[in-house]
Amino acid sequence: MNDKRDMADDGMADALDLDEIEEESAAATPGPWFVRQLDDDYAMNLVAISTVADTGQGTRWPDFDHREMIAATLVQHPRYVDCADSRWDENAAFIAMAREAVPQLVEEVKRLRQRLSTETDRPRS
C-alpha cells in the first residue's frame, strides 16, 4: 500500500499522501508552537503562534521578538489579520496543536496501514 494505485484498488483513491504531509511537517519551523496574546499600539489584540510560550503579560512591542512569530490569527489594529467568525483564539490553538499532532498522526496512520497490509497479506486458515 505504498502508492496511490494500491490504495485505489482498496477503495482508498482519495487517501492522504502521508509522505508529502511528512515532508511539509519536517520543512516547517520546529515545534513546539505556542499561542501568544500580544498587545500594543500597532498590533492591538495580536493573537499569534510563536516558538516561545506566552508570558501572560500581553507583551507589547518592542518587548517581543518578531522572529519568534510563526503566524497570526488576529491583528486588530490596523486590521491586517481577522476572521469573520471571531475564532482567533481557537484557530491559534489549533495551529499550535497541529505542529505536534500532524507528525504524530502521520506516524500512526503509517503504522496502521503497515499493520493492515501485513494482516491482509497473511494466509487465512
Side-chain angles (χ1 to χ4, degrees):
M1 295 195 79
N2 289 332
D3 70 18
K4 290 183 180 178
R5 284 171 289 154
D6 290 341
M7 289 182 271
D9 292 342
D10 292 340
M12 297 173 50
D14 294 329
L16 298 171
D17 184 340
L18 297 178
D19 291 332
E20 181 179 352
I21 295 169
E22 196 169 47
E23 287 174 20
E24 294 288 340
S25 294
T29 300
W33 292 351
F34 305 92
V35 176
R36 300 270 308 267
Q37 301 285 339
L38 305 166
D39 193 24
D40 65 32
D41 293 337
Y42 300 101
M44 180 174 61
N45 293 328
L46 171 61
V47 179
I49 295 82
S50 172
T51 58
V52 175
D54 192 58
T55 64
Q57 303 296 310
T59 308
R60 298 171 69 87
W61 187 85
D63 295 332
F64 63 85
D65 187 345
H66 67 277
R67 295 170 294 188
E68 299 166 347
M69 302 305 151
I70 300 297
T73 58
L74 175 65
V75 179
Q76 189 173 3
H77 179 77
R79 201 171 284 287
Y80 286 133
V81 179
D82 198 351
C83 55
D85 63 6
S86 302
R87 295 183 185 181
W88 317 287
D89 296 336
E90 295 86 349
N91 293 340
F94 175 77
I95 293 167
M97 176 271 309
R99 180 65 191 104
E100 300 296 318
V102 168
Q104 291 172 358
L105 289 169
V106 167
E107 184 177 313
E108 178 67 3
V109 170
K110 283 185 170 187
R111 184 187 71 77
L112 292 171
R113 283 183 179 176
Q114 179 62 39
R115 183 175 174 186
L116 182 62
S117 175
T118 302
E119 290 177 2
T120 304
D121 292 340
R122 273 193 277 176
R124 300 188 188 247
S125 32

